[in-house]
Amino acid sequence: MVANILTDREGTVNPANAAGMANKKEVRSLYKERRNGMLPGQVEDLSARICQNILRSRLFDSARFLYAYYPLGNEADVRPVIQEAWRQGKRVAFPKVFGNKMRFFEVTGFEQLSEGTFGVMEPCEEKPADWRSGKKLLVLTPGVAFDYQGNRMGFGKGYYDRHFSGKRDYMMLGVSYELQIAEQIPTGDFDVPMKWIVTENGLTEV
């Protein structure tokens, strides 16, 4: 059972609590519905503000390597961040799924991506990116919901949690709209926490 009341950061009681929400599946469904309900103009405007917050941060400035993602549906569009990373000579890699595992491959242009598992744009397999420079590696991490304790809820497949388990020196940045932020979300023993959360309102260390 979820011990704490699920509220928005502003303190408004979340519909999750009103419905007696008690598990990850129900929380995930609620926040997916919230994000899917955004209009295209909202996605464009809030994504642009999120990108500016990333680009102005010391995290982006200090990073030499980026693990990125290509937006699916109404996910925050971080492509301007990726384009600026390439412009500055930073190295960028995208994930590709193999069974229950995920691997990253370096990409130097969006044309090197093609539709793959679950409709996600995935990289070609020419340049494996098993980078170890954790303190200079920024991970732009998508998710369905986050909280300001650093907890993240993905789509339930566990790819990010398995891949980044034990990599505590990586700069894990949760990329989220403010409407995806809860006061607290239910977590599991193997969930990998974020070190920072970025929304349209700013970038916060957690």
Side-chain angles (χ1 to χ4, degrees):
M1 298 291 289
V2 180
N4 291 42
I5 293 175
L6 289 166
T7 63
D8 292 324
R9 193 184 180 203
E10 291 79 6
T12 304
V13 176
N14 193 298
N17 184 61
M21 182 166 296
N23 60 55
K24 277 190 168 187
K25 183 177 180 180
E26 291 173 309
V27 176
R28 185 176 290 112
S29 177
L30 170 73
Y31 281 92
K32 283 175 66 177
E33 183 178 345
R34 281 186 167 197
R35 191 177 66 188
N36 291 343
M38 296 175 66
L39 298 174
Q42 289 178 288
V43 173
E44 182 178 358
D45 176 60
L46 299 185
S47 292
R49 291 163 60 184
I50 288 169
C51 287
Q52 284 301 311
N53 289 333
I54 296 172
L55 291 171
R56 292 169 180 167
S57 71
R58 63 178 177 83
L59 297 180
F60 182 81
D61 186 60
S62 64
R64 295 296 173 264
F65 307 90
L66 270 75
Y67 280 161
Y69 69 90
Y70 194 96
L72 178 66
N74 278 357
E75 284 183 333
D77 188 349
V78 294
R79 284 177 291 180
V81 174
I82 297 163
Q83 290 172 321
E84 179 60 19
W86 283 327
R87 192 190 71 79
Q88 294 186 20
K90 301 179 190 291
R91 299 175 67 181
V92 181
F94 287 80
K96 186 167 186 173
V97 168
F98 298 88
N100 67 348
K101 295 184 178 180
M102 181 174 72
R103 293 184 62 193
F104 282 82
F105 296 87
E106 185 171 1
V107 165
T108 57
F110 291 123
E111 70 279 0
Q112 296 170 16
L113 302 172
S114 60
E115 188 172 330
T117 307
F118 308 118
V120 177
M121 297 295 285
E122 295 183 333
C124 60
E125 301 173 35
E126 295 179 0
K127 297 180 180 179
D130 298 321
W131 296 325
R132 306 294 181 185
S133 301
K135 293 180 179 179
K136 294 184 179 180
L137 202 161
L138 178 60
V139 184
L140 302 179
T141 315
V144 174
F146 297 85
D147 64 33
Y148 280 105
Q149 289 74 52
N151 299 311
R152 167 188 174 271
M153 181 176 290
F155 279 94
K157 304 295 184 181
Y159 292 113
Y160 275 82
D161 294 318
R162 283 192 294 273
H163 186 85
F164 291 103
S165 177
K167 298 178 174 67
R168 300 189 181 279
D169 58 338
Y170 285 16
M171 297 190 292
M172 303 294 296
L173 175 62
V175 181
S176 172
Y177 304 112
E178 198 69 31
L179 60 80
Q180 294 175 262
I181 302 293
E183 187 68 24
Q184 185 173 1
I185 56 176
T187 60
D189 293 338
F190 301 102
D191 293 347
V192 171
M194 302 294 101
K195 295 183 179 179
W196 294 268
I197 303 290
V198 64
T199 74
E200 67 272 15
N201 291 342
L203 192 151
T204 304
E205 186 171 4
V206 298

